[in-house]
Amino acid sequence: MFLSRDMLIKLKEEYGTPLYIYSEAILREKCREVKGILPHRNVRINYSAKANTNPELLKIIHSEGLDVDAMSPGEIVIEERAGFTPDRIFFISNNVSAEEMRFAIDRGILISVDSLSQLELFGRINPGGQVAVRFNPGIGAGHHEKVVTAGKKTKFGIQKEFVPQVKAILEQYNLKLVGINQHIGSLFLDGEVYADSICALFDIAREFPQLQFIDFGGGLGVPYKPGENRLDFSVLGQKLDGLIEAFLRDFPNKDIIFKMEPGRYVVAECGLLLGTVHAVKQSYDTRYIGTDLGMNVLLRPAMYDAYHEVSIVKVGSEAEADDLETATIVGDICENSDILARDRRLPKASEGDLVVVSNAGAYGYVMASNYNCRLRPAEVLIDLEGRARLIRKRDTLEQLFINFV
Ligand code: LLP
C-alpha cells in the first residue's frame, strides 16, 4: 500500500468512498519498466487503454512516451483529448460497423481487423488503404477462461489457415497490410506461452515480407496474491530478444517495428480502491463485513473470481489491529455474487473502518457501472509531491436521468 493510515482517513474525509486512488510515481515507474523490456530492439509500447481510460492517467502515460491502442470510438476520443495524435493510436477493432471504421479512417488512425468479413468491409469502404490484421496464433493464456483471447475457443483473430484468403482480399481491394497483431489473453506470469505465441505469429509474418510492424499483444501479468512471483522482465526480455534476432535473420525488412500492448501491467499496481465498512454480521458459519465496495464498483471478483488483496484500516478508538478474524467482504448490491473477498484473515472490523483493495488500477473503474442505480465512484491522483487531486467526480443522482426521454 502506498498510502499511510492518516492519509487514507484524510482522503475518505475529503472525497468520500468508494474512491479510486492512483499514484503518479508508481504509474511512471511501470511505464519505464515496460519501455525498457527490449532495450536493443526497435520497439514501441502501446498502452492498452481499456484497462484504465482516465484522461489524467493517459496524459502521464503519453508524457512517458508510450503510444495507445483503442477498442472503440469512445476510447479514441478520450485518447485524443489526452494528447495522443492519430499516428500514436492503434484501433484494434472487433465486429465494428462501417461507421465506426470510417470514424477511425477519417482521423487517419490505423485499424486492425480480425475477420475476413471485416477485412472485406474495410476494403469496400477504404480501397487502397493501409490496414493491419489480427491473427489468432492458436495459443492462448490468461487468469480465467473468460479472458483467453487466442486458441480454439475465441471470437478473436483470424487463424493461420486463412492467410491465402487474407492475401486475396488485400489484392482485390489493393490494400496495404502494414502490420499484424495478436493478443493471446490477459494475465500470465510466465512468459513461455507468450514466447510460443510470438513464434507462431512470426510464422504468419513470413507470409507478408512487406510488413512494417508486428504487434505481440498484451497480457503481462502482475502478482495479485501474496507470495506470487513477479513476471521476470529480464528473462522475458532476453527470450524475446533471441526470438527477434532469429526472425530478423531472414526477414527482408530489417527496420520492422515490434510492438507490445500491455494494459494491466502499466496501471494495476498504481491503483487502490478505498471503501467503508457499514455493517458487520454473523450469518450461520460466515462472518460478513458489509461495505460500499459493491460489484458495480469493482467487478473483477464477481466476474472472474479474481483475487485482490484487501486490508482493513481501523479508524475507531477501540482500534485493535492484532485481533484477527476470518471474514468475507461483501458490497451493497442486490446479488449474492456481490462478494469482494472470501474467507480472509483480517483485523476484526467494525462500522466506520476503512477497507483498502490493492492492485485496483486496471479493469477497476472502467468496468464500474450504475447497476442498482448506484453512483460510480470518484478518482483521485496522488502526484509526485504526494498531493491529492480529484481527477474524476463521483456520479450524481441527476446523472442517472440524463438519457431519459
Ligand atoms: N490488447 C488487446 C487487443 C486486448 O484485448 C487487451 C485486453 C490488451 C491488449 C491488454 O491486456 P492486458 O495487458 O491488460 O492483460 N477485464 C479483464 C481483462 C480483460 C482484458 C481484455 N483485453 C480483467 O479484469 O482481468
Side-chain angles (χ1 to χ4, degrees):
M1 207 188 307
F2 55 81
L3 288 173
S4 66
R5 174 178 178 276
D6 287 353
M7 184 70 174
L8 290 166
I9 293 173
K10 225 175 104 198
L11 289 170
K12 143 114 193 187
E13 274 163 12
E14 190 159 351
Y15 302 103
T17 62
L19 183 68
Y20 278 99
I21 307 167
Y22 306 106
S23 153
E24 178 175 353
I26 298 177
L27 178 58
R28 289 194 182 276
E29 184 188 311
K30 296 299 154 190
C31 288
R32 288 169 199 177
E33 266 180 43
V34 289
K35 267 183 80 184
I37 192 165
L38 281 163
H40 311 299
R41 298 294 170 192
N42 205 0
V43 172
R44 291 294 306 168
I45 304 293
N46 284 355
Y47 163 60
S48 192
K50 60 182 73 67
N52 192 320
T53 36
N54 188 295
E56 296 307 308
L57 301 195
L58 288 174
K59 281 182 202 162
I60 294 171
I61 293 166
H62 178 275
S63 76
E64 289 292 335
L66 275 64
D67 297 340
V68 274
D69 77 13
M71 209 59 205
S72 64
E75 286 191 354
I76 289 175
V77 291
I78 290 180
E79 292 166 356
E80 285 175 342
R81 195 173 154 156
F84 289 94
T85 44
D87 54 312
R88 291 179 64 180
I89 301 176
F90 183 29
F91 181 24
I92 302 185
S93 72
N94 175 242
N95 304 331
V96 296
S97 66
E99 291 70 39
E100 289 172 309
M101 269 189 199
R102 170 107 5 253
F103 185 89
I105 294 165
D106 288 348
R107 294 167 131 79
I109 292 170
L110 183 67
I111 305 181
S112 130
V113 294
D114 83 339
S115 61
L116 298 175
S117 149
Q118 294 251 288
L119 185 57
E120 281 257 13
L121 173 64
F122 183 91
R124 280 202 302 276
I125 65 175
N126 194 30
Q130 301 201 338
V131 71
V133 169
R134 175 170 175 175
F135 281 96
N136 176 348
I139 301 166
H143 68 86
H144 188 281
E145 64 176 32
K146 288 183 180 162
V147 299
V148 175
T149 48
K152 290 200 172 132
K153 291 210 156 53
T154 181
K155 66 170 177 161
F156 297 102
I158 298 178
Q159 68 190 81
K160 188 181 178 207
E161 289 69 18
F162 291 130
V163 163
Q165 287 88 330
V166 169
K167 286 184 177 171
I169 299 171
L170 293 174
E171 204 179 304
Q172 184 185 351
Y173 295 99
N174 190 27
L175 299 174
K176 183 166 185 206
L177 183 72
V178 290
I180 61 168
N181 53 305
Q182 67 170 19
H183 173 66
I184 63 167
S186 192
L187 206 171
F188 45 81
L189 288 169
D190 171 359
E192 282 303 311
V193 62
Y194 196 48
D196 291 347
S197 72
I198 289 169
C199 290
L201 192 64
F202 281 163
D203 281 344
I204 298 170
R206 290 190 188 93
E207 299 275 348
F208 302 102
Q210 77 292 358
L211 287 179
Q212 295 169 9
F213 72 83
I214 301 174
D215 179 344
F216 304 154
L220 311 178
V222 300
Y224 282 81
K225 294 186 184 142
E228 245 173 2
N229 288 329
R230 286 200 81 84
L231 183 61
D232 190 327
F233 265 32
S234 63
V235 171
L236 180 63
Q238 264 176 28
K239 176 106 196 168
L240 299 191
D241 199 72
L243 297 179
I244 291 173
E245 178 81 43
F247 172 76
L248 284 176
R249 250 175 250 144
D250 53 10
F251 196 76
N253 177 10
K254 305 292 178 208
D255 296 326
I256 188 161
I257 297 170
F258 300 96
K259 298 192 188 203
M260 286 167 81
E261 272 161 34
R264 186 190 312 273
Y265 198 89
V266 178
V267 288
E269 291 161 292
C270 78
L272 294 178
L273 173 59
L274 184 65
T276 303
V277 176
H278 287 317
V280 287
K281 82 159 149 197
Q282 183 73 33
S283 185
Y284 296 96
D285 295 334
T286 308
R287 173 106 185 137
Y288 287 102
I289 302 178
T291 74
D292 53 3
L293 301 182
M295 62 196 276
N296 68 308
V297 175
L298 181 66
L299 183 60
R300 301 191 70 253
M303 180 136 173
Y304 317 109
D305 280 325
Y307 183 99
H308 282 263
E309 266 301 84
V310 174
S311 23
I312 298 287
V313 176
K314 297 295 300 175
V315 174
S317 52
E318 72 335 336
E320 286 267 4
D322 294 344
D323 196 3
L324 298 183
E325 64 179 0
T326 298
T328 288
I329 304 158
V330 293
D332 49 9
I333 293 294
C334 195
E335 287 240 13
N336 213 33
S337 56
D338 185 29
I339 295 173
L340 178 66
R342 257 177 229 278
D343 296 332
R344 299 290 174 87
R345 240 9 232 160
L346 292 167
K348 212 162 186 225
S350 29
E351 298 86 344
D353 287 342
L354 297 180
V355 183
V356 183
V357 183
S358 303
N359 286 1
Y363 306 108
Y365 188 92
V366 287
M367 294 175 83
S369 76
N370 293 121
Y371 187 35
N372 280 194
C373 289
R374 288 234 160 249
L375 307 181
R376 286 172 307 166
E379 297 182 288
V380 158
L381 179 70
I382 309 293
D383 70 14
L384 295 176
E385 277 76 46
R387 288 176 309 227
R389 175 162 64 92
L390 187 67
I391 57 171
R392 177 167 359 222
K393 295 182 204 159
R394 186 177 309 286
D395 283 351
T396 60
L397 288 176
E398 292 68 40
Q399 280 172 298
L400 297 176
F401 291 83
I402 53 177
N403 288 328
F404 290 145
V405 287

